[in-house]
């Protein structure tokens, strides 16, 4: 029988949540092994728009919601990490925009009055005009109002690369995952037949958590999937835009982020209400047509005559909630040595790690001495979705 490896914490799932947790644990002296069955960040993480929300989009009509409270401190924590003086050293991760913007078409400018009167808006929020506008909105035909939010937008592929560097020798490519039991007690996992013992096992595999739980003979916590149908536009005529465009409802009409392609062109990545219920029901051609109409109505001066278009379906995996509502916080479920969780949003990866570390502190889980790890087969870092689609 293959000799068992041992570690303090065995993490399954190499998205941003698992990689962030892994780096936090290592910084605190824990030994870790992180297992990924595909590519690092290749699930929900690389399909994220990279916005580090501070709660603004959850309070567009002045309501101080649980979500806006839970996420309010995330931009500060991420900024400190990006500067190299936070809970992790993320210096070198590319910052796409130091702010995200709230963009109100002229006819809807009055709808944000209650938003700015709300306590839900944390940090400084300023109206911007003229050459302070995002480049894509600097056109004489633009008649709306734009507000700068104290949020930021990251290049997620560079974030995944940096977090994988912080994992050092503790990354493991593994396909087959089965429980390692002593009696009826879970003490580790078999990874491709290799037994690995650990004090604690953390499942942070996003959508993959449901299958992993099934392999372990468990059906809790239950998972829900909230689908999106995103649109990508690539053109040499695009200029950077990072903004929520207000509609008439509680969600942004459209959310635009801009990402650098390897050939030097910009790619607009479109989410918001466009990508939700009606967008999910459309086929790709219909969804592209809907996006073309939205951009034509909102940004008629942008020449998209030679643009390339693609769509991407994304399933956001979360703990099951009544009515498929979005959870307010990162989520963690504990079952003896097994912990299962979802960050629920990219920005909440630090909150997910906090919850795991708090559980360890409560239970007295401390770093132990373990033999050095052998050379392990290492998963590769994922390719940006726009490079795959265009």
């Amino acid at each position: 029988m293959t000799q068992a490896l041992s570690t303090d914490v065995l993490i399954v799932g190499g998205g941003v949540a698992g990689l962030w947790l892994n780096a936090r644990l290592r910084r605190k002296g824990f030994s870790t092994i992180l297992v990924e069955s595909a590519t690092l960040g290749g699930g929900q993480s690389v399909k994220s728009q990279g916005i580090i929300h501070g709660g603004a989009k959850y309070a567009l009509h002045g309501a101080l919601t649980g979500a806006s409270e839970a996420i309010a401190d995330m931009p500060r924590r991420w900024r400190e990490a990006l500067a190299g003086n936070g809970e992790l050293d993320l210096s070198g991760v590319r910052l796409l925009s130091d702010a995200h913007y709230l963009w109100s078409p002229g006819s809807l400018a009055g709808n944000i009055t209650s938003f700015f009167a709300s306590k839900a808006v944390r940090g400084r929020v300023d109206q911007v005009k003229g050459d302070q506008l995002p480049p894509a909105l600097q056109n004489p035909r633009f008649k709306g109002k734009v507000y700068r939010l104290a949020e930021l937008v990251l290049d997620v592929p560079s974030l995944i690369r940096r977090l994988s560097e912080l994992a050092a020798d503790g990354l493991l490519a593994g396909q087959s995952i089965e429980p390692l039991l002593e009696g009826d007690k879970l003490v580790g996992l078999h990874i491709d037949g290799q037994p690995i013992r650990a004090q604690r096992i953390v499942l942070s595999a996003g959508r993959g958590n449901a299958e992993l739980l099934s392999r372990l003979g468990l059906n809790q916590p239950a998972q829900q999937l909230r689908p999106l149908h995103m649109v990508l536009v690539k053109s040499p005529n695009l200029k950077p835009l990072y903004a929520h465009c207000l509609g008439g409802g509680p969600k942004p009409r459209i959310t635009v982020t801009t990402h650098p392609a390897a050939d030097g062109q910009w790619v607009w990545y479109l989410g918001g209400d466009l990508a939700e219920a009606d967008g999910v029901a459309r086929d790709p051609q219909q969804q592209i047509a809907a996006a073309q109409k939205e951009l034509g109505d909102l940004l008629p001066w942008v020449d998209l005559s030679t643009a390339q278009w693609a769509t991407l379906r994304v399933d956001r995996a979360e703990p099951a909630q009544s009515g498929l509502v979005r959870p307010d916080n990162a989520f963690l479920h504990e079952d003896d040595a097994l912990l299962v969780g979802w960050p629920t949003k990219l920005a909440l990866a630090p909150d997910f790690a906090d919850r795991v570390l708090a559980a360890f502190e409560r239970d007295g889980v401390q770093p132990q001495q373990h033999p050095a790890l052998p050379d392990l087969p290492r998963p590769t870092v994922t390719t940006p979705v726009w490079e795959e689609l265009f």
Side-chain angles (χ1 to χ4, degrees), residues 218-290:
L218 302 172
N219 56 18
Q220 292 295 326
Q223 175 178 283
Q224 70 183 28
L225 298 177
R226 288 195 302 125
L228 292 173
H229 195 181
M230 308 289 286
V231 180
L232 295 96
V233 193
K234 182 179 181 181
S235 170
N237 299 322
L238 297 182
K239 296 180 180 180
L241 179 60
Y242 303 92
H244 302 300
C245 178
L246 277 178
K251 296 178 181 178
R253 176 175 172 179
I254 192 170
T255 295
V256 185
T257 52
T258 310
H259 305 267
D263 62 4
Q265 294 187 52
W266 289 112
V267 176
W268 279 359
Y269 195 21
L270 311 178
D273 201 41
L274 170 75
E276 300 212 14
D278 290 342
V280 171
R282 299 182 188 113
D283 66 29
Q285 292 73 26
Q286 292 170 332
Q287 181 68 339
I288 288 170

Side-chain angles (χ1 to χ4, degrees), residues 11 17-29 32 34 87-90 162-164 166-167:
I11 301 169
L19 288 165
W20 186 290
L21 171 63
N22 185 66
R24 285 282 304 276
L25 289 169
R26 285 194 159 228
R27 194 163 190 178
K28 289 182 174 293
T32 65
L34 184 149
E87 57 214 64
L88 296 180
D89 180 1
L90 299 184
R162 176 56 181 156
L163 290 171
S164 70
L166 296 177

Side-chain angles (χ1 to χ4, degrees), residues 6 47 62 64 83 112 131 155-156 190 195 202-203 211 234 266 268 272 305 325 344 356 371 382:
S6 66
K47 298 168 186 174
L64 188 63
I112 55 178
D131 60 6
D155 177 53
V156 176
H190 290 279
V202 181
L203 305 186
E211 182 182 350
K234 182 179 181 181
W266 289 112
W268 279 359
S305 59
V325 298
T344 73
V356 174
T382 194

